[in-house]
Amino acid sequence: MRIEGGTPLQGCVRISGAKNAVLPILMATLLAAGEHRICNVPRLRDVETSMRLLQELGARVEREGDVLVVDTTSATGEEAPYELVKTMRASFLVLGPLLARFGYARVSLPGGCAIGARPVDLHLKGLRAMGADIKIEHGYVVARSKRLRGAHLYMDLVTVTGTENLMMAAVTAEGTTVIENAAREPEVVNLAEALNRMGARVQGAGSSTITIEGVSALRPSVQEVIPDRIECGTFMAAAAITGGDVRIEGCIPQHLQAVITKLRESGVWIETGDTWIRVRGEGRLRGVDVITMPYPGFPTDMQAQMMACMTLAHGHSVITETVFENRFMHVAELQRMGADLTIDGHSVLVRGVERLSGAPVMATDLRASASLILAGLAAQGETVLSRIYHIDRGYERIEEKLARLGAKIWRER
Ligand code: UD1
């Protein structure tokens, strides 16, 4: 991706469906035999990987525009292979549904990834408490159970996909399951709504206690994926860092309160409506401190983009990552562009500089790629971002959307 920096972004952009909502909703189709329709599905590499995984498990999956039709009638497979799980950790979300429907599942352990160790121990602990017999064999989790039983689960720490996996396992369990210290992310709520449309009885999603009353069977249904709050936050940051004026359509501002608050604190003018946000950069940003937290705190998936903004701010800022152990891979790349950054344990001290200069840089993970694009948009001269396959995992046609806002950005074929 080649970026010629220095143009303030202007105009209107529409937000796509949320990656982190569509993945669990896709996996949930395994819970009920029949034809499911999922609307507002973005064209992302992670969605393609999920489609391949579902096909591998015997489902028929077709795209009709932004609708995915998933027929799980003849799904019989029970194995999620390493080849797919290693490219997309969210594949691990098939464990709960497969175990609930077939009483057996063999799912590869994800292993580490660029942003840290990311264990799945809490997923397994919860399933064991629901009566599953779980063994680790040859790098795979092998889980067996007759009908799972409802249980009172306390999550040692807040995990998004852990909460989702256990919620999906519990919907057809015998009796009631309570998940305490559950993740409160909007994507968890979207999944709970999807499960309820399939006939499940899930209550409390969006709070830290979720109660699931087991039902005997679910039915297929039509689902709607919420807008991607991280894509939206990234465009907000793009408007802010370039000193532009951008109206973002088709979003849910309420899901972005932490990001809106921080950007306003740093001097950005923001107006919100029911389904839109207008962001105008007014002069140089001010340095503000940011600490990542589970929702409704500041999202770790926006940490790298916020850091890009802070590199050009007036004054200092301290950015602290509390969710993942190793999520500062973008620091060294931003330094190549002239950012003044010092890592100190889980924090980065950002001393704002007056300008960044374009450079060849390398994407290391999805959100790191986004931060380097943002830095490139504001830098003087040309930035060439390599390993851009990371960005396609989670942003739908980002260069086309940015170009329509006036950015000078090209993808090399
Ligand atoms: C999800 C999101 C990801 C986001 C993250 C945090 C999806 C598909 N991905 O990832 O974009 O960055 O939430 O908002 O929704 N942990 C354990 N044991 C477990 C599970 C998690 O120790 O069994 C730890 C992790 O290592 C991490 C923390 O809990 O330090 C939070 O991770 P988690 O919420 O599980 O992230 P994901 O669900 O993988």
Side-chain angles (χ1 to χ4, degrees), residues 1-3 333 337 359-366 368-374 376 382-391 398 409-412:
M1 203 94 87
R2 288 184 183 275
I3 305 156
E333 301 300 307
M337 300 177 71
V361 286
M362 205 157 64
T364 48
D365 67 67
L366 170 58
S369 326
S371 81
L372 296 172
I373 290 179
L374 295 182
E382 189 184 58
T383 294
V384 183
L385 175 66
S386 56
R387 300 205 178 155
I388 53 167
Y389 50 86
H390 288 292
I391 200 94
I398 191 168
I409 179 166
W410 307 265
R411 181 185 291 250
E412 287 211 338

Side-chain angles (χ1 to χ4, degrees), residues 44-59:
L44 304 173
R45 216 157 55 94
D46 275 8
V47 170
E48 280 164 28
T49 307
S50 307
M51 289 167 72
R52 267 179 35 225
L53 177 56
L54 289 170
Q55 282 162 346
E56 186 109 353
L57 295 165

Side-chain angles (χ1 to χ4, degrees), residues 184-185 229 255 257-259 291-300:
R184 291 182 281 166
E185 270 65 3
R229 63 194 166 96
H255 291 169
Q257 282 311 321
V259 176
I291 174 160
T292 66
M293 288 280 173
Y295 189 85
F298 191 93
T300 171

Side-chain angles (χ1 to χ4, degrees), residues 122 125-126 129 151-157 166 178-182:
L122 301 174
K125 188 171 153 190
H152 200 108
L153 309 175
Y154 171 77
M155 309 302 285
D156 293 326
L157 50 84
L166 295 173
V178 178
I179 307 177
E180 304 261 23
N181 200 24

Side-chain angles (χ1 to χ4, degrees), residues 8 28 42 62 88 95 102 106 109 120 156 209 225 229 257 274 305 307 322 324 363 370:
E62 269 163 31
M88 187 186 76
L95 180 60
F102 301 111
R106 195 165 177 273
L109 273 169
V120 287
D156 293 326
T209 304
V225 177
R229 63 194 166 96
Q257 282 311 321
D274 282 355
Q305 299 90 312
M307 190 183 296
T322 73
F324 289 111

